[in-house]
Amino acid sequence: MLIIDGLHDLFVNFLHLRARRNWKPEGYRILLQMFFAAVLAYLLIWLLALPIIWDTPWNLPIRLYTDTFGPFSRLLKLQPVLLERSRFEEPSNMWRIILWPSDSFIGSWQDSYFGLWNWVMTSLINGPGYYIRLKAWLVGCACCGAVAVVAASISQTLQSNGKYFEPYVFSVTRRMYTVWVKWTPESLLFLEQLFHARELGRKLSPAVLAEMDEYEELEAQKELLQLDGSTHVIGRAAEDSDPGEDSTLVRQR
């Protein structure tokens, strides 16, 4: 499986993390953990947004689309999805809280963005001729590029001032990881995480400890073989060297 092989290249070959010899179950463990982490992150976002949207978590993706672009019927009919101020001004719309009046400075910028979006979407789908569609596509790419430049600038600014917030971020992520490896079932953790769990004081089952001991023994045997091989290479190099050169150097001295 391509995804499993890619995870092996990333976690084992690039990051050099410890893993079981049978990689396929390890890859599925990583995918399962990524799925659980995505679900937990989604639930956290839902809890933070709950005072604003006040809706169930399973209905949030649908609500997010309909409040932004309108009913799904337009998408199914291949009609352009538009940003309309009248929709955002409805009392039940989740974006109403960040919508500014049209006569304000920020509101005028919002209306300009709505108009640009609507023109690009309408031209791409219903544009009269390929020239207008190409022009709309180029404008859309330019807007995406501008957003990417702004995001890169923000990222660079955060990195240059990282000393102010990096300790806090690292502390939070370290605590979250500690809770994860100490309380997640052993069957869902790959070998590197099991070693970390043991270092953090978690009591592991005898079967898992046996797997860890077997891995350490195999790694020790590999190191011994590499050491013997390097010693053998050095010995062969010494034997192949010309003894006459050494005697000549001694006479010169």
Side-chain angles (χ1 to χ4, degrees), residues 242-253:
D242 188 3
E245 295 180 359
D246 297 337
S247 60
T248 304
L249 292 174
V250 171
R251 292 195 208 96
Q252 289 178 356
R253 291 179 182 175

Side-chain angles (χ1 to χ4, degrees), residues 2-218:
L2 185 60
I3 298 178
I4 301 297
D5 295 338
L7 291 175
H8 182 272
D9 293 336
L10 174 62
F11 283 85
V12 179
N13 297 336
F14 182 72
L15 298 177
H16 302 290
L17 300 182
R18 290 167 286 190
R20 296 176 177 88
R21 298 183 65 183
N22 187 8
W23 170 253
K24 193 173 182 179
E26 292 284 76
Y28 285 122
R29 290 185 180 95
I30 294 174
L31 288 177
L32 199 57
Q33 289 187 50
M34 293 171 65
F35 172 75
F36 286 147
V39 172
L40 291 176
Y42 175 76
L43 291 177
L44 179 61
I45 294 173
W46 170 74
L47 287 175
L48 294 175
L50 187 60
I52 300 175
I53 59 175
W54 200 253
D55 207 340
T56 57
W58 50 85
N59 195 42
L60 179 59
I62 301 175
R63 172 88 180 277
L64 182 64
Y65 181 88
T66 55
D67 282 8
T68 306
F69 301 111
F72 280 100
S73 58
R74 296 184 61 87
L75 185 64
L76 297 177
K77 295 178 182 179
L78 299 180
Q79 296 177 349
V81 288
L82 305 178
L83 302 178
E84 299 176 352
R85 171 173 282 273
S86 59
R87 183 190 311 119
F88 299 144
E89 290 177 343
E90 295 178 359
S92 60
N93 194 287
M94 68 171 62
W95 302 117
R96 187 172 183 269
I97 192 173
I98 62 173
L99 189 68
W100 291 69
S102 298
D103 54 355
S104 64
F105 177 76
I106 298 179
S108 62
W109 275 95
Q110 289 177 335
D111 289 341
S112 300
Y113 175 77
F114 298 158
L116 178 62
W117 172 277
N118 295 338
W119 177 81
V120 171
M121 291 294 105
T122 304
S123 300
L124 284 175
I125 297 177
N126 300 327
Y130 291 103
Y131 173 74
I132 297 297
R133 295 184 181 183
L134 179 61
K135 184 178 179 180
W137 184 81
L138 292 176
V139 171
C141 291
C143 294
C144 293
V147 172
V149 169
V150 173
S153 302
I154 295 174
S155 176
Q156 185 65 29
T157 303
L158 293 177
Q159 289 180 6
S160 60
N161 298 278
K163 60 182 180 180
Y164 299 108
F165 64 89
E166 278 185 0
Y168 174 75
V169 173
F170 289 157
S171 176
V172 172
T173 54
R174 190 181 301 111
R175 291 179 182 179
M176 293 173 60
Y177 179 76
T178 300
V179 172
W180 182 266
V181 298
K182 291 185 70 173
W183 295 102
T184 303
E186 296 177 356
S187 58
L188 296 179
L189 299 177
F190 60 94
L191 197 60
E192 181 75 23
Q193 293 175 318
L194 292 172
F195 276 103
H196 293 169
R198 186 176 66 176
E199 294 171 359
L200 293 171
R202 178 175 177 176
K203 294 182 179 180
L204 302 175
S205 63
V208 171
L209 292 175
E211 286 183 337
M212 298 167 66
D213 293 338
E214 181 183 1
Y215 176 85
E216 290 178 336
E217 291 177 1
L218 291 175

Side-chain angles (χ1 to χ4, degrees), residues 228-243:
D228 292 341
S230 59
T231 305
H232 181 69
V233 170
I234 294 174
R236 289 287 301 275
E239 292 176 358
D240 294 340
S241 62
D242 188 3

